[in-house]
Amino acid sequence: MNIKRFFLGFIVIYILISLPSMFGIGYVIDWVPEATFYQKIKGYVIGGLENNYLVKIISSAIVGIIFSLIIAYCH
């Protein structure tokens, strides 16, 4: 098992799982008229990455291990 492939798979899967939360609506920052564009983007990204992080870490680790093992046995 290659550690680089594991981390690559882990990061890609974690971001893919986080995308629905990042594109969601209903955050408090939506209703603040003084919020800048940077503050809104920061709120969406950080909120999306932090939402259900434990489930995302576990599922990303499992998929990362499977990904690295499949790639290792295919070569």
Side-chain angles (χ1 to χ4, degrees), residues 16-67:
L16 285 175
I17 293 172
S18 297
L19 281 177
S21 296
M22 287 181 193
F23 291 130
I25 58 171
Y27 291 109
V28 177
I29 197 80
D30 287 343
W31 307 107
V32 178
E34 297 88 21
T36 64
F37 181 71
Y38 174 72
Q39 289 172 330
K40 289 180 182 180
I41 295 297
K42 182 180 171 188
Y44 285 129
V45 172
I46 299 298
L49 292 174
E50 289 177 346
N51 190 14
N52 294 328
Y53 67 92
L54 188 58
V55 174
K56 292 177 190 178
I57 288 174
I58 292 170
S59 58
S60 296
I62 291 170
V63 172
I65 291 170
I66 292 171
F67 175 73

Side-chain angles (χ1 to χ4, degrees), residues 1-17 55-73:
M1 184 170 87
N2 191 348
I3 198 76
K4 289 180 186 177
R5 291 184 186 130
F6 169 75
F7 280 125
L8 177 67
F10 180 87
I11 292 170
V12 168
I13 295 301
Y14 192 88
I15 291 173
L16 285 175
I17 293 172
V55 174
K56 292 177 190 178
I57 288 174
I58 292 170
S59 58
S60 296
I62 291 170
V63 172
I65 291 170
I66 292 171
F67 175 73
S68 63
L69 289 175
I70 288 174
I71 297 297
Y73 287 121

